[in-house]
Amino acid sequence: MTKFLFILCTISALNFLATQKTVVFNILDDGAIGDGVHDNTDSIRRTILRATDQQAPCTVLVPGGDFLTGSLEIPSNVTFYLAANATLRASDNASHYSCVPSMTSDTGPCDYPFLLVDHAHDVHLRGEGRIDAGANSPPGHLVHEYRPASNMLIPTEWTLPNCSYYSCRPKLLVVRYSSSVELTNITIMNSPLWTVTIVESENILFDRVTIVGDRRWPNNDGIDLINSRHVTIRNSNITTGDDCIAIMSHGPSSMFNITVENMNLQSTSAGIKVSAYERNSTGDMYDMVFRNVRINDTNRGLCVAPRWGTGRIANLLFEQMSIETRFFGLDWWGTAEPIYITGLSANAERTWTGLMRNVTFRHIVARGEQGFLIRGNTSILQDIYFSNVSLTIARWSNVSEHPSLDYRPSQEPQMSRANVDGLFAMDTNGLYLENIEIEYVEPKQYYYGQCLNISNVTQLIETNIQCRNVNFLTSGQTNWKTIDKIVIVFFFVILAFFINLL
Ligand SMILES: *[C@@H]1O[C@H](CO)[C@@H](O)[C@H](O)[C@H]1NC(C)=O
Ligand SMILES: *[C@@H]1O[C@H](CO)[C@@H](O)[C@H](O)[C@H]1NC(C)=O
Ligand SMILES: *[C@@H]1O[C@H](CO)[C@@H](O)[C@H](O)[C@H]1NC(C)=O
Ligand SMILES: *[C@@H]1O[C@H](CO)[C@@H](O)[C@H](O)[C@H]1NC(C)=O
Ligand SMILES: *[C@@H]1O[C@H](CO)[C@@H](O)[C@H](O)[C@H]1NC(C)=O
Ligand SMILES: *[C@@H]1O[C@H](CO)[C@@H](O)[C@H](O)[C@H]1NC(C)=O
Ligand SMILES: *[C@@H]1O[C@H](CO)[C@@H](O)[C@H](O)[C@H]1NC(C)=O
Ligand SMILES: *[C@@H]1O[C@H](CO)[C@@H](O)[C@H](O)[C@H]1NC(C)=O
Ligand SMILES: *[C@@H]1O[C@H](CO)[C@@H](O)[C@H](O)[C@H]1NC(C)=O
Ligand SMILES: *[C@@H]1O[C@H](CO)[C@@H](O)[C@H](O)[C@H]1NC(C)=O
Ligand SMILES: *[C@@H]1O[C@H](CO)[C@@H](O)[C@H](O)[C@H]1NC(C)=O
Ligand SMILES: *[C@@H]1O[C@H](CO)[C@@H](O)[C@H](O)[C@H]1NC(C)=O
């Protein structure tokens, strides 16, 4: 049966290649050996060189087998095809990696990509095979230490020049200053740092991609989109230790037209994160749609949390989602919030003074050990919409932890003990709540708070809020409480603030 499937897969791969009508360069022809041990760096680089010489669309074929190699650069017009049962395995020899300038100061001036697409166009990574970078695979590989208290693996620091402590590890795939890059069907596994990083690029497609990392591995992001535009991520599954998808501004150029749909995500950090974190983060981020996403067994679900820079974050739509979030322990950022929106400064030097406007959440079913959190402060949060959203608050994880308001990284207080409210909202201008259902589930926890805890919100509009709070219940009763009111308040302070701005 396996053999039959394998033959079928091989036939479909060959069919696919045949219909492409392009020249195919097989890495075996340059002496590659797929035994998982032989170092194929030189032979695969030779194959890629032959493909580069074409200066026209062509394919580099990695056939079935386990091919160990150092870093590779994939040039324009090349389809890098990983056949069924092909593994491209990243070498752990630091001298096989070279510095590529990074845009993110928190991971140092250098990136050390295993695969690099740089100033290129029309690059495709395809096929049923996999890329494996070996973080804790086999178990213990690239692991310095296991910390049981936080269930965290501490990675080995590589002897790479010019990287910052705690991120001296290769990123798996870096795409920079490129266009028309597509990843289809492939599986990417066990990255020691971020898995796929897209920097200053456009027309990017992820379709039917699987990204799998060790859930206990720090900085194991799935996809990091940095100052890029016209991006579609669809029909894909991501399971990682750090954020599954992080959309970040680290520079002055704008990010827009980003669609993420039909996804399954699991993260020990955030499922989807939108953020700015650099002095240079001045680019606007807007027109993004996230739909039909299922997030489960995750720490923080949807997160919009700029911390450094300026710029405008606007017109974000999150719809048709199911989200399940639980406690993972405080060494991981996040305390089980299904939806988390904060505009805060990282510290006194690293300030966020941008604007966040027009963010919509609709048709969302959430179950969390924590509630929703919305918090402005140094920035303006304006027009946040929740419609047809239900939230069930319960306790099911066995992490012993008092829930906190978690603002990391931020000016003090970063973490403070707090009760779990259904929706905690503070320092926001324009909050619209329509058809909201919040239910607390027995057994009642000592930290259960209120359905709504809203303060310093100007222009608050609530329509049809259903609340079932065990605090109000005698046991066995089902007791829904409807809170229906319209409050429109304009603080003089806020008016004065806006006038100042103008
Ligand atoms: C890619 O292929 C096209 C032809 O399809 C050609 O015009 C272009 O110059 C090629 N790009 C590079 C960098 O070779
Ligand atoms: C897949 O490749 C491995 C070698 O990496 C080999 O042992 C195995 O037999 C292959 N499976 C099939 C179905 O050919
Ligand atoms: C690492 O790679 C370099 C250059 O290819 C080689 O000289 C060295 O022996 C390798 N080290 C190990 C431990 O394999
Ligand atoms: C991806 O996989 C699907 C389903 O197996 C197949 O129909 C499609 O042709 C594949 N696409 C590529 C580019 O290999
Ligand atoms: C790397 O560090 C060396 C000195 O340690 C410095 O001369 C060089 O400019 C640095 N390179 C980068 C890319 O930062
Ligand atoms: C993603 O996961 C779903 C649910 O487990 C599955 O149906 C789907 O085929 C997976 N997609 C890929 C690309 O593997
Ligand atoms: C948005 O990006 C997609 C690719 O992800 C592209 O096909 C589409 O044309 C873009 N839309 C606009 C209005 O530019
Ligand atoms: C800020 O962005 C500009 C334009 O991309 C670049 O030239 C400059 O080096 C960046 N500065 C920092 C500190 O990254
Ligand atoms: C999360 O969803 C995936 C499918 O996407 C499923 O395989 C997995 O069992 C779920 N995990 C939990 C803890 O519910
Ligand atoms: C708000 O964002 C939505 C997309 O979520 C968009 O359709 C709408 O035009 C935006 N409204 C304004 C006033 O920009
Ligand atoms: C809010 O801003 C004030 C003034 O900048 C600062 O003192 C405070 O620490 C901030 N709060 C948070 C949670 O960042
Ligand atoms: C209310 O929130 C605004 C930001 O929206 C902030 O500037 C202001 O200081 C807050 N006022 C109080 C009394 O906390």
Side-chain angles (χ1 to χ4, degrees):
M1 188 61 189
T2 317
K3 199 159 229 165
F4 175 65
L5 271 182
F6 175 65
I7 290 165
L8 263 186
C9 289
T10 308
I11 289 170
S12 78
L14 295 178
N15 274 343
F16 170 77
L17 295 178
T19 56
Q20 295 300 294
K21 292 193 184 71
T22 62
V23 186
V24 177
F25 297 96
N26 190 327
I27 61 167
L28 296 181
D29 297 339
D30 289 290
I33 300 170
D35 61 359
V37 180
H38 181 79
D39 175 5
N40 294 296
T41 311
D42 291 340
S43 37
I44 301 179
R45 285 182 184 170
R46 269 200 303 278
T47 313
I48 290 174
L49 211 55
R50 291 200 290 138
T52 312
D53 288 344
Q54 287 286 305
Q55 297 192 334
C58 61
T59 297
V60 167
L61 172 65
V62 181
D66 189 340
F67 297 92
L68 179 69
T69 172
S71 64
L72 303 170
E73 180 166 353
I74 307 176
S76 292
N77 286 328
V78 166
T79 294
F80 203 81
Y81 196 94
L82 296 160
N85 206 27
T87 300
L88 195 69
R89 189 172 296 283
S91 153
D92 60 3
N93 184 336
S95 62
H96 286 157
Y97 295 83
S98 346
C99 170
V100 169
S102 171
M103 265 182 96
T104 56
S105 60
D106 50 333
T107 54
C110 290
D111 283 342
Y112 290 92
F114 170 55
L115 298 179
L116 173 66
V117 176
D118 194 4
H119 290 90
H121 64 89
D122 297 286
V123 174
H124 300 173
L125 273 91
R126 287 192 175 145
E128 278 62 45
R130 60 173 58 172
I131 301 167
D132 193 333
N136 199 37
S137 169
H141 188 55
L142 304 178
V143 176
H144 172 65
E145 182 192 332
Y146 173 62
R147 296 211 177 132
S150 49
N151 193 25
M152 191 182 267
L153 293 165
I154 305 303
T156 305
E157 295 285 320
W158 294 44
T159 49
L160 297 164
N162 298 356
C163 55
S164 55
Y165 173 72
Y166 211 59
S167 55
C168 284
R169 294 165 253 158
K171 291 180 179 169
L172 202 156
L173 165 63
V174 173
V175 174
R176 55 200 304 273
Y177 302 96
S178 295
S179 64
S180 302
V181 177
E182 293 185 14
L183 283 78
T184 321
N185 286 357
I186 57 167
T187 297
I188 313 179
M189 306 176 73
N190 305 317
S191 180
L193 194 60
W194 299 358
T195 307
V196 183
T197 307
I198 311 280
V199 176
E200 287 289 357
S201 295
E202 54 193 44
N203 294 311
I204 307 295
L205 173 68
F206 291 77
D207 194 8
R208 297 184 53 83
V209 171
T210 304
I211 295 177
V212 185
D214 193 298
R215 293 290 303 277
R216 299 163 299 175
W217 197 277
N219 318 104
N220 167 238
D221 294 21
I223 299 172
D224 290 275
L225 290 180
I226 300 177
N227 298 86
S228 294
R229 39 227 142 248
H230 304 307
V231 179
T232 300
I233 302 173
R234 66 182 180 220
N235 310 328
S236 298
N237 297 338
I238 304 178
T239 299
T240 48
D242 213 317
D243 307 328
C244 292
I245 300 175
I247 300 177
M248 301 181 285
S249 170
H250 283 267
S253 71
S254 293
M255 298 188 76
F256 52 90
N257 186 22
I258 292 169
T259 303
V260 176
E261 59 191 1
N262 311 331
M263 308 284 295
N264 286 290
L265 308 177
Q266 284 104 35
S267 168
T268 314
S269 301
I272 296 172
K273 180 171 180 176
V274 178
S275 165
Y277 199 82
E278 201 67 62
R279 189 183 318 283
N280 233 0
S281 300
T282 55
D284 291 336
M285 308 170 79
Y286 57 95
D287 294 355
M288 304 186 192
V289 177
F290 306 86
R291 72 161 63 90
N292 194 23
V293 177
R294 185 174 160 205
I295 299 175
N296 71 350
D297 193 27
T298 288
N299 183 343
R300 186 174 270 166
L302 308 175
C303 167
V304 185
R307 287 292 184 272
W308 190 13
T310 59
R312 185 175 58 107
I313 298 178
N315 309 344
L316 310 191
L317 172 62
F318 298 86
E319 64 178 357
Q320 297 153 22
M321 300 204 179
S322 82
I323 306 173
E324 196 173 272
T325 49
R326 68 169 176 90
F327 299 130
F328 280 83
L330 294 179
D331 285 347
W332 301 93
W333 285 0
T335 49
E337 310 89 345
I339 295 176
Y340 178 91
I341 309 170
T342 54
L344 306 171
S345 294
N347 57 44
E349 288 78 43
R350 302 181 166 191
T351 59
W352 164 254
T353 53
L355 164 75
M356 197 193 301
R357 190 182 61 79
N358 189 20
V359 181
T360 301
F361 300 88
R362 66 184 182 207
H363 300 289
I364 290 181
V365 177
R367 179 168 177 265
E369 292 195 313
Q370 175 72 271
F372 302 144
L373 192 144
I374 302 173
R375 174 81 201 266
N377 191 19
T378 54
S379 69
I380 297 169
L381 246 55
Q382 195 173 326
D383 298 337
I384 312 291
Y385 301 86
F386 277 65
S387 112
N388 298 296
V389 173
S390 77
L391 168 65
T392 306
I393 293 179
R395 176 74 188 231
W396 67 89
S397 72
N398 55 12
V399 176
S400 63
E401 175 177 306
H402 187 290
S404 302
L405 281 177
D406 178 355
Y407 292 138
R408 288 174 292 179
S410 78
Q411 288 176 282
E412 294 302 309
Q414 303 213 82
M415 300 278 282
S416 51
R417 282 177 149 234
N419 285 341
V420 166
D421 298 317
L423 168 64
F424 175 94
M426 194 172 167
D427 301 352
T428 299
N429 181 29
L431 176 61
Y432 306 86
L433 306 174
E434 180 193 23
N435 302 331
I436 310 294
E437 211 174 275
I438 295 171
E439 178 178 13
Y440 285 83
V441 171
E442 307 264 16
K444 181 182 167 181
Q445 305 296 320
Y446 68 94
Y447 55 72
Y448 275 4
Q450 329 160 36
C451 282
L452 300 182
N453 179 355
I454 297 178
S455 58
N456 191 19
V457 171
T458 62
Q459 184 131 311
L460 169 67
I461 304 206
E462 300 175 5
T463 324
N464 188 26
I465 314 287
Q466 303 285 330
C467 169
R468 182 169 182 263
N469 189 331
V470 289
N471 287 336
F472 306 139
L473 296 183
T474 54
S475 82
Q477 261 182 308
T478 335
N479 208 355
W480 286 91
K481 197 176 148 213
T482 305
I483 314 168
D484 247 339
K485 61 177 175 188
I486 296 183
V487 190
I488 303 180
V489 194
F490 282 97
F491 285 123
F492 290 113
V493 191
I494 295 292
L495 273 179
F497 187 60
F498 276 109
I499 289 162
N500 270 345
L501 271 188
L502 302 171

